[in-house]
Structures are given as structure tokens and as C-alpha cells.
Amino acid sequence: DCFLARFNEVQHWVITEICLTPLLSKRVHILRKFIKIAQHCRDFQNMMAFFGIIMGLSNIAISRLSQTWEKLPSKFKKLFKEFETLLDPTRNHRTYRLAVSKQESPFIPFMPLLMKDMTFIFEGNKTIIDGLINFEKMVCSY
């Protein structure tokens, strides 16, 4: 719960900081900063903070700021598009899973997806099959 609460706080912080900035030039500057921070989070393998920032930037309140996005340098637009591909939920978040499989420990995973996986492992498999312990479930669970 603490991880999820912090994730929501980060996401809301990103949205609020950008939306409460009245000047276009300052909004562009803040948008650039958040993309740089997201890059640092990814480089330091903190996928939880990375996703919080990118999901905040992907929020409709931010994505509709067309003038702000137009003024953003193309380098940062390209970087943001690259980051958004990691959010792609198709094929059970395949791009994220491939990226994580290439990371070395330690890293902070995206907890909601990890919790979803654990729920499916726990709820979707029987603990005892034909009177025997389901060791495949136990291996996946721990």
C-alpha cells in the first residue's frame, strides 16, 4: 500500500506542477525536467518512480497542452515516446517485461504489475493437485 500511495503521489505531483504553471516557457522547462528525471529513474532502475512520472505526463490534463508539447525540443519528444512504449499493456506488458529482464539487480519493479502477477499465480493455481503439493506454484510464488 505504501508503494501504491507513493506512486499516486508522484503521478499527481507531476500533473499538478505542470498544470499550475501559468507561463508557457516555464511549463516547457518543467516538462523537460520531468522527462530528465524519468530518464534518471530508468537509469537507476527505479521503475516505480519512472512509471509514476511517465503516467503523470501521459495524463489527459497534460497531453492536451498542445502548445507546451509543440515547444518541447524534439530530443525530449522522442525520449518521451520511447518511455511511453514501456507503458504499452499489449501482450501482457511485453516491452516492460523485456526491459526488466535485461536489468541487473538491484532494481525497483513496477509494483502494480508485480502484484497482479502474484495474484494470478496464487489465485489461478491450486495448492494441492491429486493430493500432492503443487511445487510449480510454490516456486512461482517465492
Side-chain angles (χ1 to χ4, degrees):
D1 278 345
C2 290
F3 264 111
L4 297 178
R6 183 67 177 160
F7 175 81
N8 289 332
E9 287 174 2
V10 168
Q11 188 175 2
H12 183 71
W13 171 60
V14 170
I15 297 165
T16 304
E17 285 296 319
I18 294 172
C19 287
L20 289 179
T21 306
L23 294 174
L24 177 62
S25 60
K26 290 201 180 237
R27 258 198 325 268
V28 171
H29 179 74
I30 291 171
L31 186 58
R32 285 177 58 180
K33 283 287 186 190
F34 277 124
I35 292 172
K36 285 181 182 178
I37 292 168
Q39 184 175 23
H40 285 297
C41 290
R42 188 190 64 177
D43 293 345
F44 288 118
Q45 303 187 79
N46 184 345
M47 301 310 283
M48 192 70 173
F50 171 79
F51 270 68
I53 293 168
I54 298 303
M55 284 185 177
L57 294 175
S58 300
N59 186 283
I60 190 69
I62 305 303
S63 62
R64 71 173 175 76
L65 299 171
S66 55
Q67 291 179 350
T68 306
W69 287 100
E70 286 172 11
K71 297 267 187 192
L72 188 69
S74 60
K75 171 187 167 184
F76 289 96
K77 287 179 191 175
K78 184 180 176 185
L79 194 58
F80 179 69
K81 290 292 179 196
E82 178 189 323
F83 292 164
E84 275 191 318
T85 60
L86 286 174
L87 297 177
D88 185 17
T90 58
R91 297 180 65 195
N92 197 17
H93 296 273
R94 186 173 196 277
T95 51
Y96 166 74
R97 292 177 191 279
L98 287 174
V100 166
S101 69
K102 295 175 185 173
Q103 291 181 339
E104 293 183 23
S105 293
F107 72 95
I108 300 171
F110 181 51
M111 292 301 291
L113 188 57
L114 185 64
M115 290 171 58
K116 182 189 96 164
D117 291 346
M118 294 302 290
T119 300
F120 278 115
I121 288 169
F122 186 74
E123 305 261 332
N125 297 298
K126 294 180 180 179
T127 304
I128 297 179
I129 300 175
D130 297 329
L132 301 172
I133 295 174
N134 183 357
F135 281 104
E136 287 180 32
K137 175 183 176 178
M138 298 303 149
V139 169
C140 289
S141 297
Y142 300 102

